[in-house]
Amino acid sequence: MFGIFDGHGGHACAQAVSERLFYYVAVSLMSHQTLEHMEGAMESMKPLLPILHWLKHPGDSIYKDVTSVHLDHLRVYWQELLDLHMEMGLSIEEALMYSFQRLDSDISLEIQAPLEDEVTRNLSLQVAFSGATACMAHVDGIHLHVANAGDCRAILGVQEDNGMWSCLPLTRDHNAWNQAELSRLKREHPESEDRTIIMEDRLLGVLIPCRAFGDVQLKWSKELQRSVLERGFNTEALNIYQFTPPHYYTPPYLTAEPEVTYHRLRPQDKFLVLASDGLWDMLSNEDVVRLVVGHLTEADQHKTDLAQRPANLGLMQSLLLQRKASGLHEADQNAATRLIRHAIGNNEYGEMEAERLAAMLTLPEDLARMYRDDITVTVVYFNSESIGAYYKGG
Amino acid sequence: MFYRLLSIVGRQRASPGWQNWSSARNSASAAEAHSMALPTQAQVVICGGGIMGTSVAYHLSKMGWKDIVLLEQGRLAAGSTRFCAGILSTARHLTIEQKMADYSNKLYHQLEQETGIQTGYTRTGSIFLAQTQDRLISLKRINARLNVIGIPSEIISPKKVAELHHLLNVHDLVGAMHVPEDAVVSSADVALALASAASQNGVQIYDRTSVLHVMVKKGQVTGVETDKGQIECQYFVNCAGQWAYELGLSNEEPVSIPLHACEHFYLLTRPLETPLQSSTPTIVDADGRIYIRNWQGGILSGGFEKNPKPIFTEGKNQLEIQNLQEDWDHFEPLLSSLLRRMPELETLEIMKLVNCPETFTPDMRCIMGESPAVQGYFVLAGMNSAGLSFGGGAGKYLAEWMVHGYPSENVWELDLKRFGALQSSRTFLRHRVMEVMPLMYDLKVPRWDFQTGRQLRTSPLYDRLDAQGARWMEKHGFERPKYFVPPDKDLLALEQSKTFYKPDWFDIVESEVKCCKEAVCVIDMSSFTKFEITSTGDQALEVLQYLFSNDLDVPVGHIVHTGMLNEGGGYENDCSIARLNKRSFFMISPTDQQVHCWAWLKKHMPEDSNLLLEDVTWKYTALNLIGPRAVDVLSELSYAPMTPDHFPSLFCKEMSVGYANGIRVMSMTHTGEPGFMLYIPIEYALHVYNEVMSVGQKYGIRNAGYYALRSLRIEKFFAFWGQDINNLTTPLECGRESRVKLEKICSSSLWWDHANHGRATEHRGKVLPSCYAACLEADLIRAGLESAKDITCSGPRLP
């Protein structure tokens, strides 16, 4: 499973979702038997086998203090799943669907329920009042599911048999430029609100994505918001923007329900790019594919060049000089870095400009947001041979 | 990768040695690494079975110490010693380094005969190429120093170079230096031979044994904890190479050994068509950043690139060891440089690019000596990739140090105590070694300041002075102004300012000196080391009377120039002491003595809870008001008469300056010029400075820097400790008889006996020229030359 989580109104929600969502999906996909084992272990206070095997970046942070509360909620979820008495667990599509919505409702409920510990309570509040869009991919053999809520995007890099590259979008951005989303919103709310529901290309004039986790100020009724916040939270200290947008008549306006797409991987599907809207604002799908392909070929070249090492010093020198001239050895460590470098370093003609890149990266924190969005990118490479083997093997 | 490399290179290079080694072992039951249990106690435990550890063991056992255990975590002579390029070069920048290398050369030369182990020692000579005139000057300086200590070398023409080495392209050379007695040798075999000889002398050697940490009780080594058990010992020697820093920190009382490793690459080739003779000289092309030696008919060539790759910043890291790979892209500039120097090599077949990390230190000098914090903890490490050249000599000096209490030469420049805990930050070391490694082959001009790891310790006036055009140097982590660039003057960029001739700042310093002589200048001297010694009774006076050569039982308020002498009568320290009151003294020493002086005092002071020694360096900002008008400035600021009648020379008084009270005013300037030192509690520093500057305006006050101070001192023959005098210089030898209270120490101290028995007279002949030289220096600076020392060495050879 891979995921991209793009927060807004603070990082709390994105952080929480990034840590919790995979557990919900994993639990949804577990068989009845496994769930029973887990429940048994919990009941007898035995240690639980880890549900997930994380592949984290060393820099990734985690909320350590609150995991026990989160585990309790996860347990409630699997208890409910147990009650459903489904032998095989949910289908992947269902699992993704439920997990997104379940986690969002847990986030929303956690803050409504009384919490003793002040740290946990403040954190839950921050999570609920900030928001996050999410896009996650689930790969099982040749079965690729992508669930998306918000304006992150996933695309496939496809190499046709004739060697040409193309891109295959797997998600639709949930924002005001998406006609389907517009009609969904209009359908869900009374006709009187048709004009006010999207203003200045934003949901209620506030939010760009039309689906997201958290953001309870766009989900709860005004009364609920007031009653929760009046329970003595110091909202200012917590840096929460407590404000009900105008024309707030028929909540909820926002949902975390994902759009799930399925794709059967073919040998020509070479890689998957998941990225937050910051990247897509700057680069088109085609640009992204082109850049990743460029990186792939260079990395290949890099390897092959020196693997068959020239035998004598003269040849070695000329090879090294060639590589230096083509700037090869300065290649980015990975394709994701390269994408980000180009997203913020490209000038209006689509060329990399080192000065521009440096300027963009050294902007003071408070100014940076006016010139660039935060960008998160994950590039997943598929092994075409094993995909091919799948097809041959039946 | 690392290990594969080890086996390949090891087999190729060291196999003859290994075969012989086993025969030697059979015949003489030599340094067979023990596999039995460790002994429970020993006098000395040496950690590290590389060239340093074995050399220390060899020399200690030669000097009669027998109860020695040497521990090696892997195999003997693995590590950097195994991968070292095997070049022994005596052409070093410091005289002490040249002496060490010279001794190593002689030692390795006869080692085969002594031990029966082949070391591959071949006297090839080496040639240092100069592509520029500046480089040639630098070589001439080294050449002159070599000749002074009796190492043959000469400056030769490009034509002669071509005769000595037929593969070289000499068209772009302006000259070269030839050192005919330099050699190549297999460093691993040298280490094994040293180990073998040590083992025959009773040293017990255990491999595959790691030292976990050193046990310390009451500031004294008591034993070593290893992965195979404990050993009680009195002395511990840290020769752990690039791991020495980690090992030092692993103690409960950490020992700071500032060093850091960088990746280092060299190339091995197959033999030439007509294999290169084993006597082919080694080439050092510093302008091309490379060295080239013959290696099994082919060549071995490496270098010190401009963009080094530091490694092991976070300590020993398995991942990084595995990732030690050949990096051809990184090596390209060096390869191009090699082919430019030897174009015929183009068709030569590549065998391997070796990546062997080397250790570097913050000032490019190796680290030896005893830890200031833990007695009995000795260190020998940080060789800046000259481990083979220094191995023999450094081992000898350290052994002498341990056995006799001091080495036979002055090694202050290499002493561990020149560093303190402040140089032990990993970040600092990582940044600094990235500057140090390229410097190996950069042009070394006088007065070069490191650019990394700066602005660590600063005076509260730093920003203020910086805004007024101060240019800074660093001493012991402390920023000191060199001189002040007037607003209307531009200096050259750093790179262009490198010169052996008259520097562009010369006129600036000249005018600062003039101002000191004619009006008044203020120099921020906060970096000086300041100690306070106080006691409840007379203990402070007693201990100081014992430790210092001059009489300190002076009236309160008097300042005494004195120093601490060692058993040989040499200056361990040079300082001024002010008697603040009956029972407390204020001691001012040079900046870089902070650690050394503290350690010396601590070592020789009795354990007495009523006697308090405190380092107050950080508590005071020191302003030096130099010049005939300093009196006027100060009396105007304090409404107190400051004339010599009221405030005689070498006098100290607490008084108020401006609004600030409790300023220690001393009537001395460290230059022999009239004026005052103000020791200001730091919170008043800015206030006092501002007052001094504004009042001083009408007297023509200006800022001055250390270069001006230095010039003033030289004019008055004031010696610099560590440069002009050291722990082998007695007061008599440097004309400081007046600073010794003879009655006080005549009976007890050795040096006076020496003096009476002619040692002083014998030395006088030697030293006087150098005093003479000191006075010359003022003139020399004007001529743009570095230091009188060079001149006495090189005499008329220099341009």
Side-chain angles (χ1 to χ4, degrees):
Chain A
M1 289 188 279
F2 308 90
I4 292 287
F5 308 92
D6 185 11
H8 48 257
H11 67 277
C13 186
Q15 181 71 39
V17 174
S18 76
E19 282 170 28
R20 299 175 65 181
L21 183 61
F22 295 122
Y23 283 104
Y24 280 75
V25 178
V27 165
S28 315
L29 289 171
M30 281 174 176
S31 68
H32 194 74
Q33 201 188 358
T34 320
L35 288 174
E36 266 178 346
H37 274 302
M38 284 191 352
E39 182 57 26
M42 284 292 274
E43 231 155 71
S44 50
M45 310 279 280
K46 270 192 254 167
L48 208 56
L49 281 174
I51 299 174
L52 291 174
H53 174 65
W54 285 95
L55 295 170
K56 280 215 164 217
H57 206 268
D60 290 350
S61 58
I62 40 165
Y63 286 143
K64 286 203 184 77
D65 325 333
V66 287
T67 38
S68 69
V69 184
H70 292 170
L71 185 62
D72 289 346
H73 286 109
L74 187 66
R75 188 179 171 194
V76 173
Y77 180 44
W78 81 54
Q79 283 167 344
E80 284 174 26
L81 285 171
L82 274 173
D83 292 342
L84 289 174
H85 291 291
M86 290 184 303
E87 219 36 62
M88 289 313 298
L90 300 163
S91 75
I92 296 172
E93 192 170 344
E94 288 167 326
L96 291 169
M97 224 37 160
Y98 287 150
S99 304
F100 270 63
Q101 296 183 64
R102 176 68 185 207
L103 174 59
D104 191 46
S105 88
D106 278 355
I107 287 173
S108 154
L109 289 171
E110 268 157 31
I111 190 58
Q112 295 176 42
L115 278 168
E116 309 248 316
D117 168 27
E118 192 173 352
V119 178
T120 320
R121 203 173 52 177
N122 287 345
L123 192 65
S124 307
L125 190 76
Q126 281 176 335
V127 169
F129 277 84
S130 61
T133 62
C135 178
M136 69 166 284
H138 179 278
V139 186
D140 180 17
I142 55 166
H143 305 290
L144 168 66
H145 284 87
V146 178
N148 182 44
D151 53 3
C152 292
R153 194 184 297 170
I155 64 164
L156 264 183
V158 183
Q159 187 175 29
E160 301 298 344
D161 294 337
N162 61 10
M164 292 294 288
W165 287 89
S166 60
C167 78
L168 178 65
L170 296 176
T171 59
R172 284 180 292 183
D173 302 345
H174 298 138
N175 55 26
W177 296 274
N178 179 339
Q179 278 308 322
E181 280 298 288
L182 280 183
S183 33
R184 174 181 69 83
L185 283 167
K186 286 182 181 163
R187 202 166 54 240
E188 285 170 5
H189 298 279
E191 221 168 298
S192 56
E193 289 184 49
D194 277 3
R195 290 169 153 277
T196 57
I197 193 156
I198 296 287
M199 293 185 299
E200 293 166 12
D201 293 334
R202 286 163 182 250
L203 182 64
L204 293 178
V206 181
L207 198 64
I208 296 176
C210 337
R211 301 192 192 192
F213 284 92
D215 285 327
V216 291
Q217 60 273 54
L218 293 176
K219 290 176 181 162
W220 291 351
S221 64
K222 282 182 188 173
E223 295 72 30
L224 180 57
Q225 290 184 36
R226 208 172 304 126
S227 76
V228 167
L229 287 173
E230 271 167 10
R231 289 211 311 257
F233 288 115
N234 182 354
T235 46
E236 234 166 81
L238 291 175
N239 199 11
I240 285 170
Y241 64 102
Q242 174 205 3
F243 130 91
T244 317
H247 315 292
Y248 195 77
Y249 309 117
T250 51
Y253 287 91
L254 195 64
T255 171
E257 180 190 336
E259 209 171 347
V260 180
T261 43
Y262 168 71
H263 180 80
R264 196 176 151 94
L265 287 172
R266 306 155 296 170
Q268 58 264 43
D269 299 329
K270 301 295 182 190
F271 58 85
L272 170 72
V273 180
L274 297 168
S276 60
D277 61 324
L279 183 78
W280 307 111
D281 289 347
M282 307 306 297
L283 297 174
S284 71
N285 293 357
E286 289 72 25
D287 288 338
V288 167
V289 170
R290 188 173 46 76
L291 286 168
V292 176
V293 169
H295 183 83
L296 273 176
T297 43
E298 274 180 20
D300 275 354
Q301 218 177 332
H302 202 91
K303 261 184 246 155
T304 49
D305 268 5
L306 288 175
Q308 307 150 353
R309 193 169 66 197
N312 73 42
L313 293 175
L315 293 174
M316 177 58 101
Q317 186 199 18
S318 50
L319 173 65
L320 292 177
L321 288 174
Q322 256 173 39
R323 287 158 65 88
K324 193 172 165 185
S326 63
L328 254 189
H329 62 289
E330 282 169 310
D332 291 310
Q333 273 192 327
N334 56 50
T337 314
R338 189 188 179 94
L339 287 175
I340 295 179
R341 184 189 302 281
H342 280 268
I344 55 183
N346 275 8
N347 60 17
E348 45 268 54
Y349 310 108
E351 294 157 348
M352 249 307 284
E353 250 181 55
E355 296 86 34
R356 187 182 160 92
L357 178 69
M360 290 295 250
L361 288 179
T362 49
L363 286 171
E365 218 170 302
D366 45 340
L367 280 182
R369 192 59 188 87
M370 296 161 65
Y371 293 93
R372 61 175 169 83
D373 196 355
D374 294 341
I375 302 178
T376 305
V377 182
T378 298
V379 182
V380 184
Y381 296 113
F382 297 116
N383 184 338
S384 306
E385 282 170 29
S386 43
I387 293 176
Y390 244 97
Y391 282 91
K392 277 181 206 135
Chain B
M1 190 64 196
F2 199 60
Y3 291 103
R4 204 179 74 216
L5 232 164
L6 192 142
S7 60
I8 291 170
V9 179
R11 209 178 305 131
Q12 294 274 348
R13 195 138 56 94
S15 58
W18 276 106
Q19 281 157 15
N20 266 284
W21 160 239
S22 50
S23 64
R25 176 158 45 172
N26 295 339
S27 58
S29 77
E32 187 174 351
H34 292 237
S35 52
M36 348 166 227
L38 291 181
T40 52
Q41 62 177 50
Q43 187 188 9
V44 183
V45 172
I46 300 170
C47 170
I51 195 146
M52 291 301 151
T54 54
S55 173
V56 172
Y58 172 88
H59 286 99
L60 278 177
S61 64
K62 277 256 155 133
M63 293 169 77
W65 282 22
K66 301 294 179 195
D67 190 10
I68 299 166
V69 172
L70 190 149
L71 305 176
E72 161 59 42
Q73 59 172 353
R75 287 186 310 166
L76 273 184
S80 302
T81 300
R82 159 76 69 219
F83 294 108
C84 158
I87 299 169
L88 195 151
S89 155
T90 47
R92 299 284 155 193
H93 285 272
L94 293 180
T95 302
I96 184 70
E97 291 177 340
Q98 292 179 344
K99 285 180 181 168
M100 289 199 300
D102 187 38
Y103 173 82
S104 304
N105 198 354
K106 289 174 177 138
L107 174 70
Y108 303 161
H109 184 50
Q110 55 84 43
L111 205 56
E112 195 168 322
Q113 206 183 353
E114 183 187 336
T115 61
I117 294 172
Q118 275 186 18
T119 56
Y121 182 95
T122 316
R123 190 157 274 180
T124 58
S126 49
I127 304 171
F128 296 78
L129 309 180
Q131 293 183 25
T132 64
Q133 285 298 339
D134 272 349
R135 177 69 66 184
L136 195 60
I137 293 178
S138 155
L139 290 178
K140 282 176 177 170
R141 294 163 75 104
I142 296 175
N143 180 60
R145 283 189 186 171
L146 283 173
N147 292 344
V148 163
I149 60 168
I151 301 173
S153 69
E154 58 176 338
I155 299 294
I156 56 175
S157 67
K159 210 173 122 204
K160 186 79 194 298
V161 174
E163 285 167 25
L164 287 167
H165 199 307
H166 64 277
L167 288 173
L168 284 184
N169 167 20
V170 296
H171 298 302
D172 57 347
L173 299 184
V174 297
M177 176 174 70
H178 184 218
V179 188
E181 289 185 3
D182 280 356
V184 295
V185 63
S186 154
S187 50
D189 292 335
V190 165
L192 291 174
L194 290 171
S196 153
S199 167
Q200 283 176 34
N201 276 329
V203 175
Q204 305 174 59
I205 299 173
Y206 296 85
D207 61 2
R208 294 187 173 78
T209 308
S210 307
V211 174
L212 302 177
H213 62 94
V214 177
M215 296 178 290
V216 176
K217 218 174 256 170
K218 287 188 186 154
Q220 169 81 41
V221 170
T222 59
V224 174
E225 177 90 48
T226 76
D227 58 350
K228 304 232 169 96
Q230 284 187 1
I231 309 177
E232 279 179 31
C233 65
Q234 291 156 266
Y235 293 93
F236 175 74
V237 188
N238 182 343
C239 297
Q242 44 203 355
W243 317 122
Y245 171 81
E246 292 293 314
L247 183 59
L249 289 189
S250 68
N251 279 11
E252 210 169 299
E253 178 147 7
V255 174
S256 159
I257 306 164
L259 50 82
H260 193 292
C262 285
E263 291 181 47
H264 174 62
F265 297 90
Y266 62 79
L267 170 79
L268 296 176
T269 71
R270 308 254 175 230
L272 272 73
E273 244 166 69
T274 32
L276 219 53
Q277 298 213 320
S278 63
S279 61
T280 312
T282 300
I283 303 295
V284 176
D285 180 3
D287 297 306
R289 315 197 78 87
I290 50 164
Y291 58 80
I292 312 158
R293 62 160 279 198
N294 75 78
W295 185 76
Q296 304 201 339
I299 61 142
L300 179 162
S301 173
F304 297 98
E305 63 272 25
K306 275 198 148 137
N307 50 339
K309 295 165 80 178
I311 190 171
F312 303 133
T313 304
E314 288 157 34
K316 198 185 247 173
N317 181 334
Q318 217 51 45
L319 200 72
E320 283 188 305
I321 290 178
Q322 280 160 9
N323 280 344
L324 273 182
Q325 286 174 359
E326 43 184 38
D327 185 343
W328 279 101
D329 288 312
H330 191 70
F331 193 69
E332 179 274 319
L334 300 180
L335 177 61
S336 298
S337 171
L338 169 66
L339 291 177
R340 199 175 324 123
R341 188 54 55 212
M342 296 189 180
E344 286 170 48
L345 295 188
E346 274 203 353
T347 54
L348 192 57
E349 232 182 297
I350 297 167
M351 192 177 121
K352 183 127 220 98
L353 186 64
V354 179
N355 182 354
C356 87
E358 290 278 359
T359 320
F360 296 88
T361 58
D363 56 2
M364 213 170 58
R365 299 187 229 138
C366 75
I367 297 175
M368 63 160 74
E370 189 175 13
S371 153
V374 182
Q375 278 190 40
Y377 193 118
F378 283 82
V379 179
L380 185 57
M383 290 297 145
N384 299 292
S385 75
L388 180 67
S389 301
F390 294 156
K396 175 178 150 226
Y397 290 145
L398 195 81
E400 288 171 350
W401 203 328
M402 294 171 69
V403 174
H404 302 312
Y406 42 86
S408 58
E409 290 280 345
N410 168 43
V411 295
W412 166 248
E413 283 157 316
L414 315 175
D415 193 333
L416 171 63
K417 290 195 278 289
R418 72 187 185 273
F419 296 120
L422 68 99
Q423 282 95 353
S424 72
S425 135
R426 284 180 211 263
T427 319
F428 166 77
L429 289 172
R430 184 181 168 92
H431 290 181
R432 177 55 71 81
V433 296
M434 287 173 74
E435 184 183 358
V436 165
M437 182 166 151
L439 218 54
M440 299 286 301
Y441 280 165
D442 281 348
L443 200 60
K444 274 180 233 20
V445 296
R447 297 187 183 78
W448 179 252
D449 300 307
F450 287 104
Q451 302 301 309
T452 52
R454 295 289 296 270
Q455 296 181 328
L456 180 56
R457 301 166 78 203
T458 55
S459 135
L461 304 175
Y462 179 86
D463 282 346
R464 181 60 59 98
L465 300 179
D466 199 51
Q468 295 178 74
R471 292 288 183 277
W472 301 89
M473 66 191 279
E474 170 247 10
K475 192 91 177 180
H476 203 61
F478 213 112
E479 295 290 331
R480 323 201 284 194
K482 293 192 286 193
Y483 45 82
F484 288 78
V485 182
D488 52 345
K489 194 167 161 101
D490 282 329
L491 286 191
L492 293 171
L494 202 62
E495 231 10 76
Q496 276 106 49
S497 69
K498 282 188 167 187
T499 176
F500 288 103
Y501 296 94
K502 185 175 169 179
D504 56 350
W505 43 258
F506 185 83
D507 300 336
I508 299 175
V509 175
E510 185 182 22
S511 65
E512 284 177 8
V513 169
K514 229 180 204 158
C515 184
C516 287
K517 290 259 180 199
E518 292 165 2
V520 54
C521 277
V522 54
I523 305 182
D524 182 350
M525 306 231 306
S526 309
S527 70
F528 271 31
T529 301
K530 304 176 267 292
F531 292 159
E532 252 176 40
I533 302 139
T534 43
S535 62
T536 48
D538 283 338
Q539 299 97 323
L541 179 65
E542 278 162 23
V543 73
L544 292 182
Q545 286 287 55
Y546 166 66
L547 283 173
F548 289 83
S549 59
N550 212 342
D551 187 11
L552 289 166
D553 195 4
V554 290
V556 169
H558 278 243
I559 301 170
V560 180
H561 287 309
T562 182
M564 289 189 278
L565 304 184
N566 54 30
E567 289 156 327
Y571 273 105
E572 284 294 332
N573 148 280
D574 180 29
C575 65
S576 306
I577 296 184
R579 189 165 195 179
L580 298 175
N581 58 48
K582 278 250 173 251
R583 287 166 189 150
S584 98
F585 296 84
F586 187 70
M587 173 178 169
I588 304 146
S589 320
T591 310
D592 51 356
Q593 273 214 345
Q594 193 168 21
V595 178
H596 174 70
C597 184
W598 178 267
W600 182 267
L601 279 168
K602 274 283 170 194
K603 194 170 170 182
H604 294 94
M605 268 172 50
E607 287 265 339
D608 186 343
S609 55
N610 293 321
L611 186 62
L612 182 71
L613 174 66
E614 192 190 0
D615 186 343
V616 294
T617 304
W618 61 275
K619 280 190 181 171
Y620 294 94
T621 298
L623 289 182
N624 195 352
L625 275 158
I626 305 180
R629 310 309 298 271
V631 178
D632 305 307
V633 176
L634 213 54
S635 52
E636 194 168 319
L637 272 172
S638 58
Y639 287 96
M642 302 297 291
T643 55
D645 306 337
H646 298 90
F647 209 120
S649 179
L650 289 178
F651 201 70
C652 165
K653 200 158 102 181
E654 278 202 6
M655 51 192 281
S656 55
V657 176
Y659 303 149
N661 202 3
I663 313 291
R664 277 181 196 157
V665 178
M666 301 186 189
S667 46
M668 64 165 186
T669 58
H670 299 284
T671 58
E673 299 296 325
F676 300 90
M677 284 293 303
L678 310 183
Y679 285 90
I680 310 158
I682 50 169
E683 68 266 37
Y684 298 141
L686 202 57
H687 169 75
V688 173
Y689 175 79
N690 287 342
E691 291 295 306
V692 165
M693 289 313 270
S694 70
V695 168
Q697 216 158 32
K698 58 177 169 288
Y699 302 104
I701 200 166
R702 57 178 289 176
N703 290 302
Y706 265 76
Y707 284 2
L709 183 88
R710 207 182 141 83
S711 175
L712 289 167
R713 277 185 74 110
I714 291 168
E715 274 188 25
K716 287 277 193 320
F717 298 145
F718 281 18
F720 289 90
W721 188 90
Q723 232 171 81
D724 305 317
I725 60 173
N726 56 46
N727 60 5
L728 295 177
T729 320
T730 66
L732 272 182
E733 290 168 340
C734 57
R736 288 187 168 187
E737 294 96 323
S738 62
R739 295 191 184 182
V740 179
K741 189 79 175 171
L742 288 178
E743 301 79 29
K744 206 179 91 180
I745 45 172
C746 191
S747 52
S748 62
S749 196
L750 279 170
W751 72 270
W752 189 239
D753 298 342
H754 279 301
N756 285 338
H757 290 99
R759 179 171 164 233
T761 28
E762 169 205 323
H763 270 75
R764 236 166 218 271
K766 264 201 216 160
V767 172
L768 269 180
S770 111
C771 284
Y772 169 65
C775 80
L776 255 178
E777 188 167 359
D779 301 328
L780 292 168
I781 285 190
R782 262 170 223 148
L785 292 164
E786 179 191 12
S787 127
K789 263 178 140 181
D790 299 334
I791 307 307
T792 41
C793 293
S794 50
R797 280 172 172 276
L798 269 177

